[in-house]
Amino acid sequence: MITSSFLTSVAVFALITLHVGALDTFIAAVYEHAVILPNKTEIPVSQDDALHLMNKNIDILERAIKQAAEQKARIIVTPEDALYGWKFTRETVFPYLEDIPDPQVNWIPCQNPHRFGHAPVQTRLSCLAKNNSIYVLANMGDKKPCSSLNSTCPPNGYYQYNTNVVYDTEGKLVARYHKYHLYSEPQFDVPEKPELVTFNTTFGRFGIFTCFDIFFHDPAITLVKDFHVDTILFPAAWMNVLPLLTAIEFHSAWAMGMGVNLLVANTHHVSLNMTGSGIYAPNSPKVYHYDMKTELGKILLSEVDSHPRVSPAYPIAVNWSAYATTIKPFPVQKNTFRGFISRDEFNFTELFENAGNLTVCQKEFCCHLSYRMLKKEENEVYVLGAFTGLHGRRRREYWQVCTMLKCKTTNLTTCGRPVQTAFTRFEMFSLSGTFGTEYVFPEVLLTEIHLSPGKFEVLKDGRLVNKNGSSGPVLTVALFGRWYTKDYVYNSCGTCNPAVTYLLISTVLMIVAL
Ligand SMILES: *[C@@H]1O[C@H](CO)[C@@H](O)[C@H](O)[C@H]1NC(C)=O
Ligand SMILES: *[C@@H]1O[C@H](CO)[C@@H](O)[C@H](O)[C@H]1NC(C)=O
Ligand SMILES: *[C@@H]1O[C@H](CO)[C@@H](O)[C@H](O)[C@H]1NC(C)=O
Ligand SMILES: *[C@@H]1O[C@H](CO)[C@@H](O)[C@H](O)[C@H]1NC(C)=O
Ligand SMILES: *[C@@H]1O[C@H](CO)[C@@H](O)[C@H](O)[C@H]1NC(C)=O
Ligand SMILES: *[C@@H]1O[C@H](CO)[C@@H](O)[C@H](O)[C@H]1NC(C)=O
Ligand SMILES: *[C@@H]1O[C@H](CO)[C@@H](O)[C@H](O)[C@H]1NC(C)=O
Ligand SMILES: *[C@@H]1O[C@H](CO)[C@@H](O)[C@H](O)[C@H]1NC(C)=O
Ligand SMILES: *[C@@H]1O[C@H](CO)[C@@H](O)[C@H](O)[C@H]1NC(C)=O
Ligand SMILES: *[C@@H]1O[C@H](CO)[C@@H](O)[C@H](O)[C@H]1NC(C)=O
């Protein structure tokens, strides 16, 4: 009938109009950059020398940006510290900083370079985005003048921030994010509170944070859970730490655990174990790069879903403790022993047989493993481990970890130490734990630091299992849980506020000087 088909056409037309320009998928790019570092100095260089070095780095980023645009990428992420490196004091980083305004000012630096004072780096980045018609994320330093009347204002009269900026295809500044969780960065200040920075495009909603931020609830988890971003842009200068925290291993696991796309651009610096970038989708890594052999940069490109949550490939919701809390535990092993991964004390038990069902517990937290090896290699030993507690030297982050890993040698005292090669393949494995948290990141790392895309999955009852035939040679299989509400936060002592700490230190210094 005319009327109904007319109505249908109107409806279809309305739908098309609504989705005009909206994309189901897009091509993303990340660039792992081998930073040209400044010479060591205790005396700040001139602003011109600082700019000269940054331009040398941007020359290299420019080639990557052009290449990404030629391959039809919509967006490119470049790494943390990519313009000047990481070794600075507050004073020596100062000549590298620019005052970056709030994106609300609606500014295209490429068209209006002098609107906010001296801004050559912002202008060049904006022009690169505009001229190549691509979104560009870069990491640079922001300085914000403050009044000496304000007790939190540092003595030089500026707050200094580790900052990500994003320019759109017109060269407009659309996002600015100040890193919150600094990691040994005395040159930068901690912003007053975590910033929740998002922006919308025709190819999805984006959120931003930086490197060490990924271990904490804010802004990382909030961006995903409350702001429902589709894709996270994540620049990093990440030092790999085996067996649980190599970049590709942890970042791919976070993307899967959180159900978002994660675009990771790491800095490349072999002598500091910095390498490992990737484009990770919720169901599987799309592309990744790990290179300890050369000093070269590397561009990665991949097509990803604009809205992964509505894609048919989106993983099912998982109850991480359902299996582990409802089964009858396997006989707890008699020969459980203590061991360390970095500074964390695990309880381990050895995988003696070719196949078996094992449980190992620490306090009330238990990990279960069912496994069958293809062939037990004579000179290789694997253990199942459990850890629940505050992690590391700083002991601020609460971790719950179940892991099956290869020991460095057949001497059990080496279990948990870094090892890079393995030969043992598993016909099947199934790992689960009695997690108290809903934030669990599933890791599988194979020999020579490789991922295992498409060869494992998480079932809705929380079991991490291999699929599609036997595994490659295994270094680590882990369920890495973060229990944010049990993190250690300083109470009213006051030292939680970095500005106050700073004040205390300067007061002490003043007293010493007097
Ligand atoms: C480092 O110092 C050398 C020698 O003085 C000089 O040639 C070079 O340009 C400097 N590099 C940078 C990045 O400033
Ligand atoms: C971008 O284009 C402008 C002119 O539109 C040109 O002056 C500038 O050199 C170009 N910049 C880059 C980085 O390609
Ligand atoms: C001091 O600076 C902080 C951060 O910019 C600001 O939030 C606060 O209001 C300022 N305090 C005073 C007294 O101006
Ligand atoms: C993005 O769009 C959503 C609605 O689709 C809106 O709620 C949100 O505020 C927008 N975010 C930004 C940063 O514009
Ligand atoms: C790099 O990793 C290796 C092996 O994991 C470790 O022995 C070494 O200490 C690390 N280097 C740095 C600078 O952390
Ligand atoms: C997960 O499963 C366990 C065991 O069936 C159940 O007790 C728990 O309530 C479930 N958790 C959630 C968040 O559904
Ligand atoms: C397991 O861990 C707990 C808590 O750290 C510890 O008290 C216990 O001795 C460990 N068990 C073994 C066998 O090492
Ligand atoms: C492990 O347990 C499963 C049932 O839960 C059983 O079928 C299997 O035979 C057990 N494997 C070994 C090696 O004990
Ligand atoms: C294992 O290593 C420890 C310390 O690294 C050493 O004391 C012990 O003798 C070794 N055991 C064997 C059997 O080699
Ligand atoms: C299954 O494994 C084979 C060989 O390892 C691989 O070629 C294939 O792509 C995998 N299939 C899936 C669905 O991951």
Side-chain angles (χ1 to χ4, degrees), residues 318-326 438 460-461:
V318 174
N319 177 334
W320 293 100
S321 63
Y323 179 81
T325 52
T326 47
E438 64 181 290
K460 68 170 187 288
D461 63 9

Side-chain angles (χ1 to χ4, degrees), residues 58 62 66 110 123-132:
I58 300 174
E62 175 169 359
K66 284 194 188 312
C110 191
T123 301
R124 188 163 176 209
L125 294 170
S126 157
C127 290
L128 285 173
K130 182 174 188 290
N131 290 15
N132 296 290

Side-chain angles (χ1 to χ4, degrees), residues 319-339:
N319 177 334
W320 293 100
S321 63
Y323 179 81
T325 52
T326 47
I327 63 156
K328 188 164 148 293
F330 306 133
V332 174
Q333 303 303 300
K334 283 183 220 67
N335 40 16
T336 300
F337 62 95
R338 289 189 317 162

Side-chain angles (χ1 to χ4, degrees), residues 28 82 86 105 119 124 201 209 217 219 254 271 313 339 375 415 445 454 463:
W86 43 82
V105 298
R124 188 163 176 209
T201 70
F209 53 84
H217 190 276
W254 199 89
S271 64
K375 171 168 166 292
C415 301
L445 190 66
R463 276 178 291 169

Side-chain angles (χ1 to χ4, degrees), residues 433-497:
T434 58
F435 290 95
T437 172
E438 64 181 290
Y439 301 106
V440 180
F441 313 120
E443 301 185 334
V444 176
L445 190 66
L446 303 181
T447 186
E448 312 274 5
I449 322 296
H450 283 96
L451 298 179
S452 189
K455 300 266 292 180
F456 71 95
E457 65 186 323
V458 178
L459 307 180
K460 68 170 187 288
D461 63 9
R463 276 178 291 169
L464 167 55
V465 298
N466 70 317
K467 64 172 191 182
N468 190 17
S470 63
S471 74
V474 170
L475 291 178
T476 310
V477 174
L479 288 166
F480 185 107
R482 274 289 283 114
W483 199 341
Y484 302 106
T485 52
K486 284 172 90 81
D487 281 3
Y488 179 76
V489 265
Y490 293 116
N491 32 37
S492 54
C493 71
T495 47
C496 53
N497 184 335

Side-chain angles (χ1 to χ4, degrees), residues 198-200 205:
T198 63
F199 63 95
N200 292 333
R205 187 178 309 168

Side-chain angles (χ1 to χ4, degrees), residues 183-429:
Y183 187 89
S184 305
E185 297 168 78
Q187 68 271 38
F188 290 122
D189 298 305
V190 177
E192 249 186 306
K193 50 179 188 289
E195 298 170 348
L196 295 156
V197 175
T198 63
F199 63 95
N200 292 333
T201 70
T202 54
F203 48 99
R205 187 178 309 168
F206 289 78
I208 306 168
F209 53 84
T210 309
C211 207
F212 196 44
D213 283 328
I214 201 171
F215 283 112
F216 300 89
H217 190 276
D218 286 314
I221 303 295
T222 303
L223 285 173
V224 179
K225 299 289 270 197
D226 299 342
F227 288 73
H228 307 288
V229 298
D230 299 297
T231 301
I232 297 281
L233 307 176
F234 182 65
W238 188 284
M239 296 168 70
N240 292 309
V241 183
L242 286 163
L244 297 173
L245 294 179
T246 60
I248 57 172
E249 174 189 26
F250 187 69
H251 301 156
S252 60
W254 199 89
M256 188 179 264
M258 294 308 297
V260 284
N261 296 322
L262 183 63
L263 311 187
V264 183
N266 198 2
T267 299
H268 188 82
H269 196 85
V270 168
S271 64
L272 287 177
N273 290 342
M274 282 182 196
T275 177
S277 303
I279 297 175
Y280 307 113
N283 62 333
S284 176
K286 292 284 192 177
V287 58
Y288 68 94
H289 175 71
Y290 175 93
D291 165 30
M292 285 292 280
K293 298 201 171 78
T294 79
E295 299 290 348
L296 303 173
K298 173 84 178 174
I299 190 166
L300 302 176
L301 293 131
S302 177
E303 188 171 7
V304 293
D305 290 325
S306 302
H307 306 287
R309 279 184 198 82
V310 299
S311 132
Y314 195 65
I316 42 164
V318 174
N319 177 334
W320 293 100
S321 63
Y323 179 81
T325 52
T326 47
I327 63 156
K328 188 164 148 293
F330 306 133
V332 174
Q333 303 303 300
K334 283 183 220 67
N335 40 16
T336 300
F337 62 95
R338 289 189 317 162
F340 285 87
I341 297 183
S342 300
R343 290 164 190 264
D344 301 324
E345 192 177 315
F346 277 64
N347 282 2
F348 287 129
T349 191
E350 187 180 345
L351 280 58
F352 271 116
E353 311 288 341
N354 253 318
N357 297 310
L358 304 178
T359 293
V360 66
C361 300
Q362 187 171 72
K363 298 177 197 151
E364 70 294 341
F365 179 63
C366 292
C367 302
H368 309 303
L369 174 72
S370 297
Y371 71 97
R372 196 162 54 246
M373 293 172 182
L374 210 53
K375 171 168 166 292
K376 189 157 167 38
E377 302 285 336
E378 280 298 311
N379 56 353
E380 295 196 313
V381 168
Y382 285 78
V383 289
L384 171 66
F387 173 77
T388 186
L390 290 164
H391 147 79
R393 179 162 43 88
R394 294 150 35 109
R395 307 191 71 75
R396 289 187 197 160
E397 305 150 49
Y398 198 98
W399 287 14
Q400 284 193 320
V401 180
C402 290
T403 181
M404 174 187 87
L405 53 80
K406 189 195 140 169
C407 303
K408 186 168 161 62
T409 71
T410 52
N411 184 330
L412 292 178
T413 63
T414 67
C415 301
R417 298 217 199 129
V419 53
Q420 313 214 10
T421 55
F423 295 94
T424 304
R425 296 166 186 271
F426 287 76
E427 241 170 65
M428 83 83 139
F429 58 76

